[in-house]
Amino acid sequence: MRMIKLSLFVLVVFGLGMVLAGCSKPPEAEKEAAKKAMDAAISVGADQYASADLEAARKVWDTAESQMKEKKYKEAKQGYIDAKAAFEKAAAAVEAGKKAIAEQANAALGTLEGEWKKLSVTANKMEKKLKGKKQAWTADTKAISEGLAKSKEMIASTPAEAKAKLDELKTIIDRWETTFKEMARSPSKPKATKKKKS
């Protein structure tokens, strides 16, 4: 009877040891799953179109990584599970983010096209004053025309890049608007009049 109790005790202790040993293993599978979810979110453009969600997911990941280093494997396991879910949420938010940025880019495109037409009219009126800046104006005219056309094409596939391109074009247009305002304020050189001999 005593031998049976001792055997039973050893078996229980061994079983508990195995359970505890099973809990103390690093959660490599969960970490790998979370890493794959992170890579997938980045590959679909979460860094551009769902940056807030991606940043939140990275914080959860960082916490899990810290717990892993501290050998808090139970907490790290849950952290990686939460990080995976957060990265999946960021990936799912990409389409909505893309749509929102595409709408912003379309609005910006419409505004810039209007500003560009006005600027072109102003440039035609100020052609005589433009002489010293004609080369720069010609180069920027080409850049703006091509940039607007390219941005229009890019909005459907890469709206964030289209928006960035439109922001660059806005800077060029604003610079020329300022230049033309300054030119309009500066008086034209008076024409030299010939004195009549008496």
Side-chain angles (χ1 to χ4, degrees):
M1 180 81 166
R2 192 167 176 209
M3 190 64 145
I4 294 174
K5 284 184 181 180
L6 185 62
S7 296
L8 190 58
F9 178 75
V10 169
L11 199 61
V12 169
V13 170
F14 180 74
L16 280 173
M18 290 301 289
V19 168
L20 290 175
C23 290
S24 65
K25 286 195 303 188
E28 294 298 333
E30 290 78 7
K31 179 179 180 174
E32 185 61 31
K35 176 80 170 90
K36 283 181 182 174
M38 180 194 323
D39 293 342
I42 291 168
S43 72
V44 296
D47 52 334
Q48 290 181 318
Y49 304 109
S51 57
D53 289 328
L54 185 64
E55 188 58 37
R58 282 186 171 142
K59 286 180 181 174
V60 176
W61 168 267
D62 291 343
T63 301
E65 288 283 270
S66 295
Q67 291 166 337
M68 186 78 141
K69 286 177 187 169
E70 295 168 12
K71 298 191 184 219
K72 295 179 180 177
Y73 297 137
K74 184 178 178 187
E75 294 88 344
K77 180 178 181 177
Q78 187 58 51
Y80 288 126
I81 291 169
D82 294 343
K84 179 180 182 275
F87 285 123
E88 288 170 347
K89 179 184 174 197
V94 167
E95 282 308 310
K98 216 177 211 185
K99 184 179 178 186
I101 290 178
E103 289 171 2
Q104 291 171 9
N106 276 317
L109 178 66
T111 301
L112 277 182
E113 286 176 330
E115 289 178 12
W116 177 232
K117 283 179 186 173
K118 287 180 190 173
L119 193 65
S120 297
V121 170
T122 304
N124 287 336
K125 289 178 183 175
M126 305 193 86
E127 194 170 344
K128 289 180 182 173
K129 288 187 174 185
L130 237 159
K131 284 184 182 172
K133 299 179 182 198
K134 188 74 172 167
Q135 193 173 3
W137 170 250
T138 303
D140 283 346
T141 298
K142 183 179 178 188
I144 292 168
S145 297
E146 290 174 358
L148 288 172
K150 187 171 183 175
S151 296
K152 200 178 284 189
E153 292 172 12
M154 291 168 56
I155 288 174
S157 58
T158 54
E161 290 175 28
K163 180 110 174 36
K165 183 70 175 166
L166 290 167
D167 290 342
E168 289 173 23
L169 297 175
K170 172 90 172 116
T171 302
I172 296 170
I173 290 172
D174 288 349
R175 187 178 67 234
W176 278 106
E177 283 177 348
T178 303
T179 300
F180 287 141
K181 284 177 186 172
E182 289 169 0
M183 291 168 96
R185 282 190 290 238
S186 67
S188 297
K189 292 181 181 177
K191 291 182 181 177
T193 55
K194 293 181 181 179
K195 290 185 180 179
K196 291 182 181 178
K197 292 181 182 178
S198 22

